[in-house]
Amino acid sequence: MDNIYYYLNVLFVETYKILFLLIPILVSVAMIVWLDRRVWAFVQKRRGPNVVGPFGLFQSLADALKYIFKEIIIPASSNKVIFIIAPIITMTLALVAWAVIPFGEDFVLANINVGILYLFAVSSLGVYGIIMGGWASNSKYPFLGAIRSAAQMVSYEVSIGIIIINVLLCVGSLNLTDIVLAQQQFWFVLPLFPMFIIFFISALAETNRPPFDLPEAEAELVAGYQTEYSGMMYAMFWLGEYANILLMCAMGSILFLGGWLPPIEIYPFNLIPGALWLIFKILFLFIIFALVKAIVPRYRYDQLMRLGWKIFLPFSLVWLILTATYLYYFNLLPSV
Amino acid sequence: MIAHSIFFYFFSLITIVSAIMVTVSKNTVHSVFFLILGFISVSCLFIMIGAEFLGMVMLIVYVGAVAVLFLFVVMMLNVAQQGNEIFQNSRYTHLPVGLIIGLIIFFELIIVVSGWKYKPDIISSNSINFDSNLTNTHSIGMVLYTEYIHLFQLSGMILLVAMVGAIVLTFKKRSGIKRQSYIEQISREKISGVSLVNVDSYKGVKIDD
């Protein structure tokens, strides 16, 4: 019987930890939607959501409430099981990836050896939510949107993968905590600045954000793969999308901006806890995401594919060779 | 250990059931989804035996890339409407070939597994120094990039040749398509784009095109 108590104990502790991570993430996803709309509005000299609560902070909660009480309409000719599973998969995958994000040196849910591969794998699984949703709707526009989106995500994953290899060459470990600790002298954004820019743009494409939001290009495809969704199922797609954006920001700040490390290890910066630094960096990246959405017009699809395969992929490959050569020549390769 | 075996049987059950469903299900898109489920649970099994690198690479390569292409192809085929009659008419025509392939794979598995079980020295003929202190990412790299570097490069070349071949076979240079040339667009000068014409009144301009 001891065994069962042991397992139950483990189960409760882990569940507690997971809730401790998940609930703040869900709340911050709601807040980030507000921030996104607010930044967007300020760029366009509007006010944005400012009515519900102080500064309109509760707008997202009000929206969520509305989504919950709306009727879920399932099209008669849709493939019902897959139609219902698709948004669940999108949201689950977006949340599951947070398990490996380190908020401090020992402040991580699962400190696994292949953390970065896990992140990469989970974000590459994200395609399925979209494909399944688009296919199961059994309608033209969602299907076209899903195919566009899947092709886009698969092609930008390639360049993200090579950028990750660039960083891993400098670190010598796949563990996210090790990646952050390797940046104690200087952040990787300094030596790998072009890679950071390419990572950022690829992250925009990977999360279907403007200017690469072709899957949801409303003038061409109504709302892309989300066209047939309504109520809470639509909200789940939406939450998953924003959780993914936050995740990409977290990934960018861990790979390039030194994760939880303060910019300089001196007195006033030391006082702020590491988790807050990470949150600052995520917010900084997210505000740039939001600004890009407000400023840049949408790409054409063939231009998008050209950018991914003919510019980013060769450039990051060449940079990979340069990085490897530099590290080898100056004997800087990390001891594994 | 109990939890370990519970998880093991859970994942292997899912693997087997989804593998069966791949072949049984009538809708091809469903069978691709079951294939993906099978891949995922196999990678969970890899992680359970401590081969986390293999598990993750399985997820990234097979689920994230290969199965997406499968899905693309299968969704384009749209077998759902015409599927049933094809299956009913030719249910047994491919049976002999399938049986032969299945039997070959089965016997290969028997040979490998029994060799592994009863004569371990057959499998580990050239001994690889295995250090259990290293992470398995490291140890795979140590073997792959030192002892088997030529085979590794060769398999990469084979994939590259296959890719080039597929592109050559399907690539058609079609006429009548307007393509953008970025260099041409950027290097356009004022002279080639605009011409200033003195227009006489009541005469108009003749544009040559």
PDB file of all heavy atoms in Angstrom, chain A residues 12 35 50 110-111 166 168 189 239 246 275 291:
ATOM      1  N   PHE A  12      -0.319  14.253  -6.719  1.00  0.00           N
ATOM      2  CA  PHE A  12      -0.860  15.505  -6.184  1.00  0.00           C
ATOM      3  C   PHE A  12       0.153  16.623  -6.306  1.00  0.00           C
ATOM      4  O   PHE A  12      -0.177  17.731  -6.724  1.00  0.00           O
ATOM      5  CB  PHE A  12      -1.282  15.326  -4.724  1.00  0.00           C
ATOM      6  CG  PHE A  12      -2.634  14.709  -4.599  1.00  0.00           C
ATOM      7  CD1 PHE A  12      -2.836  13.570  -3.850  1.00  0.00           C
ATOM      8  CD2 PHE A  12      -3.724  15.279  -5.255  1.00  0.00           C
ATOM      9  CE1 PHE A  12      -4.082  12.998  -3.766  1.00  0.00           C
ATOM     10  CE2 PHE A  12      -4.970  14.707  -5.164  1.00  0.00           C
ATOM     11  CZ  PHE A  12      -5.152  13.572  -4.413  1.00  0.00           C
ATOM     12  N   LEU A  35      -3.435  43.360 -24.454  1.00  0.00           N
ATOM     13  CA  LEU A  35      -2.254  44.170 -24.771  1.00  0.00           C
ATOM     14  C   LEU A  35      -2.084  44.295 -26.277  1.00  0.00           C
ATOM     15  O   LEU A  35      -1.786  45.391 -26.792  1.00  0.00           O
ATOM     16  CB  LEU A  35      -1.010  43.528 -24.154  1.00  0.00           C
ATOM     17  CG  LEU A  35       0.297  44.280 -24.347  1.00  0.00           C
ATOM     18  CD1 LEU A  35       0.272  45.564 -23.580  1.00  0.00           C
ATOM     19  CD2 LEU A  35       1.465  43.432 -23.906  1.00  0.00           C
ATOM     20  N   ASN A  50     -11.128  49.929 -23.879  1.00  0.00           N
ATOM     21  CA  ASN A  50     -10.831  50.686 -22.657  1.00  0.00           C
ATOM     22  C   ASN A  50     -12.057  50.839 -21.763  1.00  0.00           C
ATOM     23  O   ASN A  50     -12.089  51.686 -20.890  1.00  0.00           O
ATOM     24  CB  ASN A  50     -10.271  52.072 -23.012  1.00  0.00           C
ATOM     25  CG  ASN A  50     -11.287  52.913 -23.728  1.00  0.00           C
ATOM     26  OD1 ASN A  50     -12.305  52.388 -24.170  1.00  0.00           O
ATOM     27  ND2 ASN A  50     -11.039  54.195 -23.834  1.00  0.00           N
ATOM     28  N   ALA A 110       9.748  20.594 -15.747  1.00  0.00           N
ATOM     29  CA  ALA A 110      10.435  19.383 -16.182  1.00  0.00           C
ATOM     30  C   ALA A 110      11.768  19.780 -16.776  1.00  0.00           C
ATOM     31  O   ALA A 110      11.818  20.360 -17.849  1.00  0.00           O
ATOM     32  CB  ALA A 110       9.595  18.641 -17.222  1.00  0.00           C
ATOM     33  N   ASN A 111      12.841  19.498 -16.054  1.00  0.00           N
ATOM     34  CA  ASN A 111      14.167  19.864 -16.539  1.00  0.00           C
ATOM     35  C   ASN A 111      14.727  18.688 -17.330  1.00  0.00           C
ATOM     36  O   ASN A 111      15.510  17.903 -16.830  1.00  0.00           O
ATOM     37  CB  ASN A 111      15.058  20.194 -15.348  1.00  0.00           C
ATOM     38  CG  ASN A 111      16.328  20.849 -15.780  1.00  0.00           C
ATOM     39  OD1 ASN A 111      16.510  21.106 -16.953  1.00  0.00           O
ATOM     40  ND2 ASN A 111      17.202  21.097 -14.824  1.00  0.00           N
ATOM     41  N   ASN A 166      22.334  26.607 -34.604  1.00  0.00           N
ATOM     42  CA  ASN A 166      23.316  27.669 -34.400  1.00  0.00           C
ATOM     43  C   ASN A 166      23.566  27.926 -32.923  1.00  0.00           C
ATOM     44  O   ASN A 166      24.709  28.013 -32.475  1.00  0.00           O
ATOM     45  CB  ASN A 166      22.788  28.966 -35.017  1.00  0.00           C
ATOM     46  CG  ASN A 166      23.437  29.268 -36.327  1.00  0.00           C
ATOM     47  OD1 ASN A 166      24.642  29.318 -36.392  1.00  0.00           O
ATOM     48  ND2 ASN A 166      22.636  29.442 -37.347  1.00  0.00           N
ATOM     49  N   LEU A 168      22.756  25.935 -30.431  1.00  0.00           N
ATOM     50  CA  LEU A 168      23.233  24.736 -29.746  1.00  0.00           C
ATOM     51  C   LEU A 168      24.725  24.545 -29.940  1.00  0.00           C
ATOM     52  O   LEU A 168      25.407  24.035 -29.047  1.00  0.00           O
ATOM     53  CB  LEU A 168      22.482  23.501 -30.266  1.00  0.00           C
ATOM     54  CG  LEU A 168      21.000  23.463 -29.933  1.00  0.00           C
ATOM     55  CD1 LEU A 168      20.388  22.188 -30.424  1.00  0.00           C
ATOM     56  CD2 LEU A 168      20.787  23.601 -28.445  1.00  0.00           C
ATOM     57  N   VAL A 189      22.244  37.121 -28.426  1.00  0.00           N
ATOM     58  CA  VAL A 189      21.753  38.054 -29.430  1.00  0.00           C
ATOM     59  C   VAL A 189      22.898  38.885 -30.005  1.00  0.00           C
ATOM     60  O   VAL A 189      22.853  39.334 -31.144  1.00  0.00           O
ATOM     61  CB  VAL A 189      20.640  38.942 -28.844  1.00  0.00           C
ATOM     62  CG1 VAL A 189      21.204  39.872 -27.796  1.00  0.00           C
ATOM     63  CG2 VAL A 189      19.942  39.720 -29.916  1.00  0.00           C
ATOM     64  N   LEU A 239      -7.175  30.976 -28.083  1.00  0.00           N
ATOM     65  CA  LEU A 239      -6.293  30.888 -26.915  1.00  0.00           C
ATOM     66  C   LEU A 239      -5.017  30.145 -27.277  1.00  0.00           C
ATOM     67  O   LEU A 239      -3.914  30.549 -26.887  1.00  0.00           O
ATOM     68  CB  LEU A 239      -6.992  30.144 -25.777  1.00  0.00           C
ATOM     69  CG  LEU A 239      -7.981  30.922 -24.936  1.00  0.00           C
ATOM     70  CD1 LEU A 239      -8.629  29.996 -23.943  1.00  0.00           C
ATOM     71  CD2 LEU A 239      -7.262  32.026 -24.195  1.00  0.00           C
ATOM     72  N   LEU A 246       3.046  33.487 -27.193  1.00  0.00           N
ATOM     73  CA  LEU A 246       3.806  33.681 -25.952  1.00  0.00           C
ATOM     74  C   LEU A 246       4.952  32.691 -25.869  1.00  0.00           C
ATOM     75  O   LEU A 246       6.067  33.036 -25.465  1.00  0.00           O
ATOM     76  CB  LEU A 246       2.895  33.474 -24.746  1.00  0.00           C
ATOM     77  CG  LEU A 246       2.141  34.674 -24.236  1.00  0.00           C
ATOM     78  CD1 LEU A 246       1.483  34.318 -22.927  1.00  0.00           C
ATOM     79  CD2 LEU A 246       3.100  35.826 -24.015  1.00  0.00           C
ATOM     80  N   ALA A 275      12.569  35.213 -12.638  1.00  0.00           N
ATOM     81  CA  ALA A 275      11.321  34.955 -13.356  1.00  0.00           C
ATOM     82  C   ALA A 275      10.769  36.243 -13.939  1.00  0.00           C
ATOM     83  O   ALA A 275      10.267  36.270 -15.059  1.00  0.00           O
ATOM     84  CB  ALA A 275      10.309  34.316 -12.420  1.00  0.00           C
ATOM     85  N   LEU A 291       3.493  45.276 -32.562  1.00  0.00           N
ATOM     86  CA  LEU A 291       3.817  46.421 -33.422  1.00  0.00           C
ATOM     87  C   LEU A 291       3.909  45.990 -34.879  1.00  0.00           C
ATOM     88  O   LEU A 291       3.411  46.681 -35.773  1.00  0.00           O
ATOM     89  CB  LEU A 291       5.145  47.045 -32.983  1.00  0.00           C
ATOM     90  CG  LEU A 291       5.094  47.934 -31.754  1.00  0.00           C
ATOM     91  CD1 LEU A 291       6.481  48.400 -31.399  1.00  0.00           C
ATOM     92  CD2 LEU A 291       4.197  49.109 -32.025  1.00  0.00           C
TER      93      LEU A 291
END
